[in-house]
Amino acid sequence: MKKVMAIINIDKMNATKKALLDANVTSMTASGKVFGRGKGLWEAKILEGVKNDQPEALEHLGKEPRLRAQRVLEIVVNDQFVQPTVDAIIDANQGEPHGCGKIFVMPMMDVIQVRTGITGSKAVD
């Protein structure tokens, strides 16, 4: 079992959910709005909006240090679903020159289904 954690642009959430469903990945957890930044630069249209005092652009930019609104997905899958999960996230989010997100794949020691007490791979299926 692995945990796939993805940080994606908040506006790509619906496309990501659809791509994961198309890859038969049906379970996931999504954290609310989180803020972060990578090495990439801000989109020119957001910076232009800030320069023109547009409230929407200012809201996207936030306070110093300038962080982007993003979403964190956590998906625990059995090993055979790791690559389809990663591919689905990449397909739904790739395309912008900067700031498409990051994907982390980590080992998962155990999973326990609270309702039934089932553990391990069967709890993920």
Side-chain angles (χ1 to χ4, degrees), residues 32-37 59-62 67-71:
K33 190 187 289 187
V34 298
F35 295 91
R37 68 175 182 85
E59 183 179 319
H60 270 88
L61 206 51
L67 303 174
R68 282 190 126 134
Q70 297 172 316
R71 187 98 51 207

Side-chain angles (χ1 to χ4, degrees), residues 62-82:
K63 305 275 184 210
E64 291 288 340
R66 295 199 167 108
L67 303 174
R68 282 190 126 134
Q70 297 172 316
R71 187 98 51 207
V72 175
L73 305 180
E74 295 177 284
I75 307 160
V76 176
V77 294
N78 286 314
D79 290 343
Q80 70 267 25
F81 282 98
V82 171

Side-chain angles (χ1 to χ4, degrees), residues 18-110:
K18 182 179 179 340
L20 288 167
L21 281 173
D22 291 346
N24 294 317
V25 177
T26 58
S27 300
M28 71 173 186
T29 300
S31 299
K33 190 187 289 187
V34 298
F35 295 91
R37 68 175 182 85
K39 297 177 199 170
L41 302 173
W42 280 94
E43 293 178 27
K45 64 183 177 182
I46 292 176
L47 294 176
E48 184 67 28
V50 168
K51 192 168 80 173
N52 295 328
D53 289 326
Q54 293 175 334
E56 302 86 11
L58 291 168
E59 183 179 319
H60 270 88
L61 206 51
K63 305 275 184 210
E64 291 288 340
R66 295 199 167 108
L67 303 174
R68 282 190 126 134
Q70 297 172 316
R71 187 98 51 207
V72 175
L73 305 180
E74 295 177 284
I75 307 160
V76 176
V77 294
N78 286 314
D79 290 343
Q80 70 267 25
F81 282 98
V82 171
Q83 197 58 52
T85 302
V86 168
D87 291 342
I89 295 167
I90 289 171
D91 290 345
N93 289 276
Q94 199 171 46
E96 296 181 27
H98 297 286
C100 294
K102 289 273 193 289
I103 300 171
F104 306 92
V105 179
M106 299 162 273
M108 181 62 51
M109 299 304 292
D110 202 2

Side-chain angles (χ1 to χ4, degrees), residues 9-22:
N9 287 328
I10 205 162
D11 61 338
K12 297 287 189 167
M13 188 63 201
N14 287 334
T16 303
K17 286 190 303 187
K18 182 179 179 340
L20 288 167
L21 281 173
D22 291 346

Side-chain angles (χ1 to χ4, degrees), residues 1 76 107-112 118-121 123-124:
M1 291 177 294
V76 176
M108 181 62 51
M109 299 304 292
D110 202 2
V111 176
I112 303 157
I118 295 172
T119 62
S121 312
V124 176

